[in-house]
Amino acid sequence: MENKEVNNATCYVAGKPVKGENTLEVRSPYDGRLVGAVALANAEDAKRAIDIAISDKVSLSKYERYAILDKARTLLVQRKQEFAATISNEAGLALHEALYETGRAHDVLFFAAMECLKDDGQIFSCDISPQGKARKIFTHRESLNLAVCITPFNHPLNQVLHKIAPAIAAGTPVILKPSEKTPLTAIKIVEVLYEAGLPHSMLSVLLGPTNEIAEPLIKDDRVDIVSFTGSVAVGKKIAATAGYKKVILELGGNDPIIIMEDADLDLAAYLAAEGSFRNSGQRCTAVKRILVHEQVKEHFLEKFLEVAKKYKAGDPLAADTKVGTVIDEASAIYLETVVKKAVAQGAKVLLGGKRTGALLEPTIIDEVPRDADMVVHESFGPLAPILTFKDIDDAIALSNSTAYGLSSGVVTNNMQYIMRFVKELKVGTVNVNEVPGYRIESSPFGGIKDSGLGIKEGVIEAIKCFTFVKTFSLPW
């Protein structure tokens, strides 16, 4: 399938198109062609979006929220090819990855809609202690005044919906600030939500200069919550400047897959390839470090090389491409540089490594030193660095040695090993015989250390974040 139309789009303030003088051009990372243009917003638009969200706040019933999200889900399914083409065009991701992302986005809308029909209210009897009374205390959730959601480029549809769908389910208005690198998909899903019946005052989407859009939105006292996914540096700056409000931060990862001496090596090779190369390696939960027990390293390498050769890099819109580009040429050059640095320290490139513009072949690097840049810091691309360890103590220490703590995968059938990894790995998720990133869209997700503040996302937890709990009591 090929779709090479130019997509002209605009920001929206409460459903009304922005008529800005400045325009953002969006170009394909693969061939540089113009794929779209966006009319940008300014500081006045940001102020107007906040004013309208606060002054025109609507109260939707749980069923009305459900109906809107479910209608949006239906529209997304009907237009999945169109969305997938937009994702591939602006992000450079392989078309099959873009289609997979539309499937995940469907699940976000599906689960968020279902949660609208549930109630997690609690009842506490007050006569259960000598100091108690014949009363009951009840809890229920109320929406926040306004949320600001800031999303990255690597999942231009799913990351957006992971923020705004739970907010809508909670009844909280949202101002979305998507990545300037992938704005077309974000704007397209906002338009779908308007079409599905969402009151326009509940959602705005703005792009523009940081000092005119992001900073004023983050600092405004009328904003109750800022939910951000992106880099550590920007996340920590947001935390320092947001003021007295909720802050949800998901700041990436340096996730290992740990292959023990008893591992099924066919499974390990498959998981290492899927974890390292899917989505061009541009996932916070991608495999960034392959930690292999020294006893099975050579046998694992044979199998891994065989599997990895099947991950063809090329034109994102070609049906047989498994790995598209990274987000831009500068990112590919950086990845190429950290590989060269590791080689200078003694590492060996066993497969790939060739770069053409923003297209970087899936690359396997063996004998990577433990202090190499590519494993100390997050390398956001299709790199598969291999390090060895001698025993489980060494594996745990090596896994925990970076500043990040998002997810991990462990390949073993030894229950004693499994229990130690679950208890001792300093991460938010431990997946056994699976890639670090495995989850469903409703399960809790998030990390610790430089990966986040330990506050979970995922549809159910995110809805909690976009609400507050009110209690009331009655004589009983």
Side-chain angles (χ1 to χ4, degrees):
M1 183 188 83
E2 288 201 7
N3 184 332
K4 296 189 174 182
E5 296 179 359
V6 176
N7 188 336
N8 292 315
T10 181
C11 297
Y12 288 95
V13 174
K16 292 185 178 180
V18 165
K19 298 178 181 178
E21 297 179 357
N22 298 319
T23 301
L24 171 69
E25 288 190 344
V26 183
R27 295 187 174 274
S28 163
Y30 178 67
D31 56 17
R33 63 192 163 80
L34 183 68
V35 297
V38 180
L40 297 177
N42 56 33
E44 183 56 34
D45 295 317
K47 181 180 181 300
R48 197 154 44 90
I50 297 174
D51 291 343
I52 294 172
I54 297 297
S55 64
D56 295 350
K57 186 172 181 181
V58 294
S59 180
L60 297 174
S61 70
K62 283 178 168 289
Y63 180 80
E64 288 171 328
R65 296 175 224 163
Y66 159 81
I68 291 165
L69 291 167
D70 192 57
K71 177 63 174 177
R73 178 190 64 82
T74 301
L75 293 171
L76 175 61
V77 171
Q78 293 171 353
R79 301 170 191 176
K80 66 179 181 179
Q81 297 292 341
E82 177 188 337
F83 269 92
T86 301
I87 292 169
S88 287
N89 282 328
E90 69 174 346
L93 296 175
L95 189 60
H96 81 98
E97 296 286 7
L99 285 167
Y100 175 71
E101 181 167 348
T102 62
R104 290 186 61 191
H106 162 277
D107 288 356
V108 173
L109 290 166
F110 177 66
F111 289 127
M114 283 201 305
E115 290 303 310
C116 293
L117 304 180
K118 300 178 183 179
D119 195 322
D120 66 351
Q122 296 175 286
I123 303 173
F124 298 85
S125 294
C126 300
D127 60 352
I128 60 173
S129 81
Q131 288 77 40
K133 292 182 178 181
R135 299 184 67 84
K136 286 189 185 293
I137 296 173
F138 302 83
T139 73
H140 75 107
R141 292 191 177 275
E142 294 193 2
S143 60
L144 303 181
N145 285 324
L146 179 60
V148 166
C149 296
I150 303 174
T151 57
F153 64 81
N154 57 316
H155 291 291
L157 176 60
N158 201 42
Q159 289 277 16
V160 167
L161 282 178
H162 253 294
K163 305 289 188 187
I164 61 178
I168 291 167
T172 295
V174 180
I175 299 174
L176 171 68
K177 208 297 288 179
S179 171
E180 283 81 4
K181 295 180 179 181
T182 53
L184 303 176
T185 307
I187 291 170
K188 188 181 291 289
I189 195 62
V190 167
E191 291 171 340
V192 163
L193 285 160
Y194 290 152
E195 186 179 343
L198 184 70
H200 291 179
S201 64
M202 285 194 68
L203 180 60
S204 295
V205 55
L206 304 177
L207 295 109
T210 299
N211 65 334
E212 293 188 38
I213 305 298
E215 288 182 5
L217 292 177
I218 290 166
K219 293 178 180 179
D220 197 292
D221 290 339
R222 295 170 293 176
V223 173
D224 285 341
I225 181 172
V226 176
S227 184
F228 169 81
T229 297
S231 72
V232 174
V234 175
K236 289 186 174 181
K237 183 177 180 181
I238 287 172
T241 60
Y244 188 65
K245 57 175 64 74
K246 284 185 178 182
V247 178
I248 311 301
L249 303 174
E250 200 281 276
L251 307 180
N254 198 341
D255 299 351
I257 187 165
I258 303 171
I259 302 165
M260 298 303 291
E261 75 274 15
D262 73 313
D264 176 336
L265 295 184
D266 289 316
L267 175 64
Y270 170 75
L271 295 177
E274 286 285 283
S276 299
F277 306 140
R278 289 289 303 273
N279 220 68
S280 301
Q282 296 176 126
R283 294 181 296 173
C284 54
T285 56
V287 169
K288 309 290 188 354
R289 296 174 292 155
I290 302 172
L291 313 184
V292 189
H293 196 291
E294 59 189 15
Q295 291 180 13
V296 297
K297 185 249 189 124
E298 294 306 322
H299 194 194
F300 165 76
L301 263 181
E302 292 175 10
K303 293 179 177 293
F304 184 36
L305 284 164
E306 183 179 348
V307 173
K309 289 174 183 176
K310 300 175 182 177
Y311 286 73
K312 179 186 175 183
D315 183 348
L317 293 176
D320 61 343
T321 295
K322 293 199 73 171
V323 180
T325 70
V326 293
I327 191 60
D328 52 33
E329 186 173 11
S331 298
I333 291 170
Y334 170 78
L335 294 166
E336 187 180 40
T337 300
V338 296
V339 171
K340 289 178 179 178
K341 286 182 179 178
V343 169
Q345 291 179 270
K348 299 176 181 177
V349 175
L350 303 183
L351 181 73
K354 181 182 177 183
R355 181 186 67 82
T356 306
L359 185 69
L360 180 67
E361 293 178 338
T363 305
I364 297 176
I365 315 99
D366 190 19
E367 299 180 22
V368 177
R370 295 188 177 193
D371 62 349
D373 274 359
M374 70 162 53
V375 293
V376 172
H377 305 109
E378 182 179 26
S379 295
F380 216 58
L383 305 183
I386 297 170
L387 300 84
T388 57
F389 59 85
K390 62 181 180 179
D391 56 28
I392 188 169
D393 292 328
D394 192 25
I396 291 170
L398 181 55
S399 176
N400 290 339
S401 64
T402 76
Y404 293 89
L406 185 55
S407 301
S408 62
V410 177
V411 189
T412 181
N413 291 308
N414 184 315
M415 186 55 69
Q416 289 184 325
Y417 286 166
I418 291 169
M419 294 310 296
R420 282 201 62 188
F421 283 126
V422 169
K423 292 178 180 178
E424 297 180 40
L425 292 180
K426 304 301 182 186
V427 292
T429 296
V430 178
N431 285 328
V432 179
N433 292 327
E434 187 51 271
V435 293
Y438 179 79
R439 67 185 190 275
I440 60 172
E441 309 304 335
S442 59
S443 63
F445 169 77
I448 57 174
K449 299 162 65 175
D450 272 4
S451 292
L453 298 171
I455 299 170
K456 295 288 190 179
E457 292 189 277
V459 168
I460 295 173
E461 293 300 316
I463 290 173
K464 294 177 183 177
C465 291
F466 289 114
T467 60
F468 72 94
V469 174
K470 179 178 283 186
T471 63
F472 61 95
S473 70
L474 299 172
W476 206 268

